[in-house]
Amino acid sequence: MKGKNGQGAELDRRKFWADPVMVTTIVVLIAFLTLFILYPLAILLVDSFITDEGITLDVFKRVLAMTNFRRAITNTLKVGFLVGIASALIGLLFAYVEVYVKLQTKMMGGLFRVVSMLPVVSPPFVLSLSMIMLFGKAGIVTRYILHIYDNSVYGFWGIAIVQTLTFFPVCYMMLRGLLKNIDPSLEEAARDMGASRLRVFLTVTLPLILPGLGNAFLVTFIESIADFANPMIIGGSFDTLATTIYLQITGAYDKEGASAMAVALLFITLVMFIVQKYYLEAKSTATLSGKASRARMLITDKSVTRPLSFLCSLLAIFVILMYICVPFGALFKTWGYDFHLTTKWFVQVFKRYKGFKAFKDSFVLSLIASPITALLSMIISYLVVKKTFKAKGFIEAVSMLAMAVPGTVLGIGYIRGFSAGVFRTGFLQGLYGTGAILVIVFIVRSLPTGTRSGISALRQIDKSIEESAYDMGAGSFHVFMTVTLPLIKDSFLSGLVTAFVRSITAISAIILLVTPQFLLITVQINEFAEKGAYGIACAFATILIVITYGSVLLMDLIIKRFGTSKAIQEQ
Amino acid sequence: MSKEKKGIKLEHISKIYRDPKTKQDFYAVHDANLTIEPGSFVTLLGPSGCGKTTTLRMIAGFESPDEGEIYLGGEAINALTPNKRDTAMVFQSYALLPHYNIFDNVAYGLKLRKLGKEEIKEKVTAILKLVGLEGMEARMTNQLSGGQQQRVALARALVLEPGVLLFDEPLSNLDAKLRVSMRTEIRRIQQEAGITAVYVTHDQSEAMAISDRIIIMEKGVVSQTGSPQEIYYHPTNEFVADFIGEANFLRGKAVSVSGGKAELEIEGSRIEVSQEGITEGRDCTLVLRPEAALIADKGQLPCKVILSCFMGSYQNYHVMVGDTLVKITDFNPKNKKIYNVGDTAFVAFDVENTHIL
Ligand SMILES: Nc1ncnc2c1ncn2[C@@H]1O[C@H](COP(=O)(O)OP(=O)(O)O)[C@@H](O)[C@H]1O
Ligand SMILES: [Mg+2]
């Protein structure tokens, strides 16, 4: 019996090659993924393992001998652990309250919605800015309310708090999905047998979502150690791997050393990612058998609802206050000293600091990148879900791999990989320093999120719908354009906006690659925050928040107006 | 209507799949040889999992045969992709394009064939009339009932005037009553359009009602091919006899054979049958349809009644002939003698209405 290598496989191959558009697409895709994801990472390995004397560990030995690198590793891991645990727990609190507790007021529901939306619209370092402005030396809370004049928010605790507040909404969303899938009768059975609410939570609910909690922890852990912007602004002398690598290349011009450090960072995130993706993610949903059979009796017991709601509201309001603090930072004359309202920072942004150019550059580059990203991720999802061909595994793996690559690592990879052309041959050297390479970085950074959403959207579509179009005579490309894409329009549109928001708020890889020719908002914010010019930084950040928030609102409108209607999705 | 009705030929067609659990390769379809005449309505019939859909999808081009060659109108089509084959399929789930209205669903394939606007409109209107959906052009697919969606799926395939029309259990999502009326409808439209049709179902009454020829499949293998009558009256094996209608199997032995006649010994009684190709001393099975047998005071096989049940249009009996259970449906029982449980009687039948395996 020749199943795998028989005539059928041969015929499938011939049918595959009979479709030139698809073959071309796949070839281009493979070339893109190889050149812009695999190759830059490979070159880092080459850089750190191969010197003039051949394959050695010399570079690693040298790097490991640096105390600042060793300290950075422990720093990063310490922050990662704390932030991972704290975010998972706060996320669990929010998720539990939303799913299990009867909320007393409408306002609470609103707070929860805002919190769940924040990670989508928030530029990465906004919380760091407001942290400094609220609790720093000139912080309103520390200086004016508590009269502490020498408080330092810089360092371990600053980073940990800011990152926790930034990342816990993601955990909240993940855990909310899991909790909703728990069958209420499991818990009610335990209650009936006389167990207290706490006991039920500890013996029934918690064990069920433990893998999910682990998953949330790891996802946050990876985010935390890959984060560049917050440690940069609020880290002070407390360096993490991402900032150390940045300083190694921009300060010490040690390219090999930076490469080796990047390899170390990549190694950590990759291991975590593989554990998360292939072990915990599957396990976290395995114990929960699909949809809950019926609605849950919400907890109304005041002794439970009061403290839990209070805690959630407090946290939510605190986070929201921190965001509100940013525009005010741009409106006060001198933060911490003179609270007269002024437009001078905004004026300065545009008059003195080429604000308009910065917005134009950021805007245009992101605007170019986002449709390409959205389309690419839909194409990848289509190929992964609907087609079978040899290179499919490669395409899927590499686009997911990009999710595990910290921006800083990618940035170093691009510097090493393209500054002298591909493999230092000068090939494609023209790319380096242009807007094109920034656009490519934007694409690569947003591709995994888009692909993931595209894949889950496509899995919902009955495969015979596309087959029927194919059967009526349409080629793959026509099927994709007239059937697939319209059916996952919502996913495409939200991918478009997500890519745009992610691009315009990106900094970690970009800051390493941007040339003076381009002014990017995020880079400006970072620069002014570094210098302590918080008014300017806040003014830049405010406008950025307005842009991102506006884009998300626009997306909602567009999806409501032009998106696939509910009825179609339910079919 | 069809440009050209085409015949289909499957020569030694096999499809091998790998069982995802055991990781073992197995034949989903094994050495299928079929000839489907142009313009005929042929049904692939068999229990779930026997390889009907796989066979149909190989004809459509979604699957590639691991062995053998498929011919469509004399042309070998193994290497053609589905969009290049002159076939059109009606899917089990209808697979209508949910973002298009009825008109655009039906026009989808025509637009690909670069027809003019007017011509498309003409054809779509005509075909919608044929399937009884005039005036519904502007509706979206989710505004249609299941039966109407089915008609759109049919219209969409028919309008392309394909050489062959393929159906994969098109009625399985409809309620029982609609199923019966839709199958008559499909048959009418197929005959009116004069198109070759290959139809997959696991419902034997549907197959009987609709087909010119039935192909019975069992575990990936073609078990018997023939007209509904041939299959019903002359099943070539027990699987077919049992799958099509109900059947009693009476085991016996051919004790003497002369000319076209043979004498069988069944449970101690002797029965003379006339069927060619029986050799003396061979073990035989007499296939007796429940409606071909009667219960009477005189007959071929003595029996004991163990169940007697009035069903309205017939009396349902279960009797024991020796150790063999025989089911009898005695139609129109109003003026007949009714036997009760425990009675002894005879099973009576016309040997012409039986079949020997
Ligand atoms: N893509 C596939 N991979 C593995 N096994 C399959 C695949 N498609 C069908 N099968 C198996 O092949 C057999 C025949 O399937 P199918 O043709 O769908 O049966 P039917 O339509 O007669 O119910 C079944 O055992 C089914 O599980
Ligand atoms: Mg089937």
Side-chain angles (χ1 to χ4, degrees):
Chain A
M1 209 186 288
K2 285 208 291 189
K4 231 47 205 140
N5 310 306
Q7 176 192 305
E10 172 59 31
L11 286 172
D12 285 338
R13 244 190 317 279
R14 273 167 70 184
K15 288 180 188 172
F16 173 75
W17 285 102
D19 195 338
V21 181
M22 187 155 94
V23 173
T24 316
T25 310
I26 290 173
V27 170
V28 170
L29 209 53
I30 290 176
F32 180 86
L33 295 176
T34 309
L35 192 58
F36 295 116
I37 298 178
L38 274 192
Y39 162 70
L41 300 182
I43 206 79
L44 289 180
L45 287 177
V46 171
D47 257 8
S48 45
F49 284 108
I50 301 176
T51 60
D52 297 338
E53 287 126 59
I55 301 176
T56 69
L57 286 173
D58 288 355
V59 185
F60 272 100
K61 281 185 192 145
R62 178 166 69 79
V63 169
L64 273 172
M66 297 179 195
T67 41
N68 66 339
F69 177 63
R70 289 212 304 271
R71 199 168 338 108
I73 292 184
T74 35
N75 284 353
T76 309
L77 294 179
K78 267 197 322 211
V79 172
F81 269 109
L82 182 66
V83 170
I85 290 170
S87 304
L89 290 181
I90 298 177
L92 177 62
L93 172 71
F94 270 75
Y96 188 83
V97 169
E98 174 171 343
V99 178
Y100 282 79
V101 176
K102 191 160 172 60
L103 295 179
Q104 251 95 49
T105 58
K106 267 237 168 75
M107 196 194 78
M108 286 282 295
L111 282 182
F112 274 72
R113 249 192 317 281
V114 171
V115 167
S116 65
M117 229 181 78
L118 285 179
V120 188
V121 297
S122 159
F125 28 60
V126 164
L127 290 184
S128 290
L129 278 183
S130 39
M131 187 77 182
I132 293 166
M133 293 191 300
L134 287 176
F135 300 101
K137 264 211 185 74
I140 293 193
V141 176
T142 35
R143 189 180 178 94
Y144 282 89
I145 299 176
L146 302 175
H147 300 290
I148 303 171
Y149 297 103
D150 59 347
N151 191 45
S152 170
V153 285
Y154 299 96
F156 176 78
W157 287 106
I159 300 178
I161 291 170
V162 163
Q163 284 190 345
T164 303
L165 293 179
T166 310
F167 299 135
F168 89 86
V170 180
C171 299
Y172 156 47
M173 308 284 274
M174 286 169 66
L175 293 168
R176 181 175 68 175
L178 293 183
L179 285 178
K180 277 190 176 156
N181 274 349
I182 295 180
D183 190 342
S185 51
L186 290 176
E187 291 146 345
E188 280 161 21
R191 278 289 279 173
D192 276 348
M193 288 184 287
S196 72
R197 214 158 239 140
L198 182 68
R199 223 186 128 72
V200 171
F201 177 77
L202 291 177
T203 57
V204 181
T205 318
L206 200 58
L208 279 174
I209 56 158
L210 209 51
L213 214 50
N215 194 30
F217 163 77
L218 269 191
V219 168
T220 317
F221 187 92
I222 296 172
E223 291 269 0
S224 162
I225 60 181
D227 185 20
F228 168 79
N230 290 312
M232 196 65 197
I233 292 180
I234 206 171
S237 59
F238 185 88
D239 278 320
T240 64
L241 272 174
T243 53
T244 307
I245 294 170
Y246 173 75
L247 294 173
Q248 196 68 18
I249 198 152
T250 56
Y253 299 107
D254 173 13
K255 291 175 178 170
E256 284 77 20
S259 298
M261 292 177 179
V263 168
L265 177 56
L266 179 63
F267 177 76
I268 300 174
T269 51
L270 217 50
V271 170
M272 296 291 167
F273 178 72
I274 289 167
V275 173
Q276 184 261 323
K277 184 93 196 127
Y278 295 98
Y279 182 68
L280 278 175
E281 197 172 74
K283 224 179 155 180
S284 69
T285 46
T287 45
L288 305 173
S289 53
K291 279 273 164 276
S293 55
R294 66 205 150 76
R296 189 183 306 277
M297 291 280 292
L298 294 180
I299 302 173
T300 48
D301 184 354
K302 290 238 158 50
S303 68
V304 181
T305 61
R306 283 244 170 92
L308 287 184
S309 319
F310 178 72
L311 209 55
C312 281
S313 311
L314 205 67
L315 273 163
I317 290 171
F318 181 57
V319 173
I320 293 167
L321 271 182
M322 290 188 78
Y323 277 93
I324 291 175
C325 170
V326 170
F328 280 106
L331 289 171
F332 290 156
K333 235 178 201 155
T334 315
W335 184 266
Y337 298 97
D338 185 347
F339 292 115
H340 286 95
L341 292 181
T342 170
T343 55
K344 79 169 179 187
W345 301 119
F346 283 102
V347 172
Q348 277 194 14
V349 159
F350 287 104
K351 285 260 165 74
R352 194 169 339 148
Y353 298 113
K354 296 189 188 159
F356 187 73
K357 180 174 163 46
F359 292 114
K360 198 193 75 191
D361 287 353
S362 278
F363 203 87
V364 168
L365 291 177
S366 307
L367 209 58
I368 296 171
S370 49
I372 303 176
T373 312
L375 195 65
L376 263 185
S377 41
M378 293 304 127
I379 292 175
I380 294 177
S381 328
Y382 173 70
L383 293 174
V384 165
V385 178
K386 305 281 172 173
K387 296 281 164 189
T388 31
F389 53 96
K390 276 238 173 73
K392 182 167 119 171
F394 174 84
I395 291 181
E396 189 175 9
V398 176
S399 27
M400 287 300 127
L401 168 73
M403 193 148 24
V405 180
T408 313
V409 174
L410 198 72
I412 304 279
Y414 273 47
I415 292 179
R416 301 304 291 151
F418 295 107
S419 62
V422 176
F423 289 115
R424 309 213 170 116
T425 56
F427 175 61
L428 287 183
Q429 191 174 9
L431 204 58
Y432 193 71
T434 62
I437 205 163
L438 299 181
V439 168
I440 290 169
V441 170
F442 286 156
I443 294 172
V444 168
R445 298 289 291 153
S446 304
L447 204 56
T449 345
T451 306
R452 213 166 38 172
S453 116
I455 285 178
S456 65
L458 275 175
R459 291 230 163 99
Q460 318 269 319
I461 297 176
D462 180 3
K463 93 174 172 192
S464 57
I465 292 182
E466 279 147 334
E467 281 181 350
S468 79
Y470 200 29
D471 191 54
M472 284 187 281
S476 296
F477 179 71
H478 195 77
V479 173
F480 179 77
M481 295 306 285
T482 60
V483 181
T484 316
L485 209 48
L487 287 182
I488 52 169
K489 201 156 61 178
D490 289 3
S491 174
F492 175 77
L493 289 175
S494 74
L496 199 68
V497 175
T498 311
F500 177 76
V501 170
R502 281 183 66 107
S503 300
I504 207 164
T505 57
I507 182 157
S508 53
I510 287 300
I511 198 169
L512 290 162
L513 296 169
V514 70
T515 47
Q517 186 192 344
F518 292 97
L519 288 179
L520 297 180
I521 310 178
T522 49
V523 179
Q524 300 300 307
I525 299 177
N526 181 60
E527 213 167 277
F528 287 106
E530 285 257 280
K531 282 192 239 163
Y534 294 116
I536 301 282
C538 282
F540 270 111
T542 306
I543 302 182
L544 190 52
I545 293 177
V546 170
I547 293 177
T548 53
Y549 187 66
S551 319
V552 172
L553 284 186
L554 195 68
M555 166 181 79
D556 281 348
L557 266 180
I558 292 176
I559 287 185
K560 266 204 199 105
R561 179 80 179 73
F562 299 105
T564 338
S565 77
K566 267 261 150 47
I568 286 175
Q569 277 166 7
E570 276 158 13
Q571 265 203 336
Chain B
M1 172 184 289
S2 175
K3 284 173 294 191
E4 182 198 355
K5 13 182 157 172
K6 289 186 179 168
I8 301 173
K9 206 163 160 196
L10 269 61
E11 267 180 6
H12 302 291
I13 288 298
S14 297
K15 181 70 197 175
I16 298 163
Y17 281 132
R18 174 155 296 180
D19 190 309
K21 278 215 190 83
T22 61
K23 305 277 177 243
Q24 293 274 308
D25 283 350
F26 71 97
Y27 279 108
V29 176
H30 195 188
D31 197 25
N33 290 287
L34 298 173
T35 306
I36 293 167
E37 297 297 333
S40 64
F41 197 114
V42 175
T43 299
L44 294 172
L45 174 65
S48 166
C50 71
K52 308 177 297 284
T53 299
T54 306
T55 308
L56 199 72
R57 287 173 61 84
M58 283 194 281
I59 298 174
F62 293 119
E63 309 289 343
S64 302
D66 286 304
E67 290 158 17
E69 183 72 56
I70 300 177
Y71 297 89
L72 178 64
E75 179 200 3
I77 56 167
N78 264 6
L80 290 186
T81 50
N83 54 337
K84 301 272 185 262
R85 294 189 184 198
D86 193 12
T87 60
M89 184 140 157
V90 177
F91 289 81
Q92 184 165 13
S93 53
Y94 316 141
L96 301 181
L97 309 176
H99 54 300
Y100 287 154
N101 64 17
I102 306 308
F103 183 93
D104 289 331
N105 260 284
V106 179
Y108 187 88
L110 294 176
K111 284 181 186 158
L112 284 161
R113 282 160 183 72
K114 304 261 177 324
L115 300 187
K117 257 209 162 107
E118 280 308 306
E119 199 180 351
I120 290 179
K121 185 145 191 248
E122 233 164 73
K123 286 195 178 214
V124 172
T125 312
I127 216 78
L128 284 178
K129 190 167 174 208
L130 182 68
V131 300
L133 288 176
E134 305 149 272
M136 302 222 184
E137 286 85 350
R139 290 221 200 157
M140 295 307 281
T141 58
N142 55 13
Q143 297 168 316
L144 297 183
S145 70
Q148 289 170 326
Q149 292 188 28
Q150 182 58 69
R151 285 163 202 263
V152 177
L154 181 57
R156 177 174 82 162
L158 271 174
V159 81
L160 301 176
E161 304 175 5
V164 183
L165 201 52
L166 306 171
F167 295 89
D168 189 3
E169 311 224 8
L171 305 181
S172 57
N173 291 334
L174 302 179
D175 62 53
K177 240 188 173 147
L178 200 55
R179 243 187 343 247
V180 173
S181 67
M182 268 309 285
R183 75 188 188 203
T184 332
E185 191 86 330
I186 288 179
R187 177 62 162 161
R188 172 184 71 79
I189 292 168
Q190 179 262 338
Q191 282 180 330
E192 223 164 284
I195 203 167
T196 316
V198 184
Y199 189 98
V200 161
T201 181
H202 65 268
D203 180 339
Q204 48 111 357
S205 58
E206 202 170 295
M208 300 287 261
I210 209 170
S211 322
D212 293 318
R213 289 179 78 72
I214 294 177
I215 295 158
I216 307 244
M217 293 185 70
E218 181 195 7
K219 294 188 186 131
V221 178
V222 173
S223 196
Q224 188 177 356
T225 310
S227 70
Q229 289 80 0
E230 275 167 357
I231 300 259
Y232 192 77
Y233 292 123
H234 304 287
T236 53
N237 57 54
E238 281 189 29
F239 171 78
V240 174
D242 199 32
F243 192 72
I244 294 278
E246 255 193 298
N248 298 297
F249 297 107
L250 291 150
R251 320 263 169 217
K253 209 181 193 108
V255 285
S256 72
V257 177
S258 61
K261 294 203 182 293
E263 204 171 19
L264 308 185
E265 189 181 296
I266 294 168
E267 302 286 353
S269 307
R270 295 205 165 196
I271 293 162
E272 199 180 48
V273 296
S274 50
Q275 186 167 324
E276 300 285 340
I278 298 174
T279 50
E280 200 168 311
R282 200 192 85 178
D283 288 330
C284 292
T285 302
L286 181 88
V287 181
L288 180 63
R289 299 283 181 196
E291 76 277 8
L294 285 175
I295 184 163
D297 291 338
K298 273 199 185 126
Q300 286 98 326
L301 298 166
C303 69
K304 191 166 182 201
V305 179
I306 57 167
L307 177 123
S308 173
C309 184
F310 177 62
M311 305 292 288
S313 65
Y314 64 93
Q315 185 80 16
N316 184 23
Y317 292 107
H318 285 187
V319 302
M320 296 303 291
V321 175
D323 293 328
T324 311
L325 172 74
V326 175
K327 296 171 187 169
I328 298 172
T329 48
D330 194 355
F331 282 100
N332 208 2
K334 189 173 178 196
N335 296 320
K336 289 184 187 164
K337 176 177 173 187
I338 300 297
Y339 294 82
N340 293 312
V341 175
D343 290 353
T344 51
F346 284 87
V347 178
F349 51 87
D350 184 348
V351 288
E352 291 297 313
N353 292 337
T354 65
H355 183 76
I356 314 297
L357 295 175

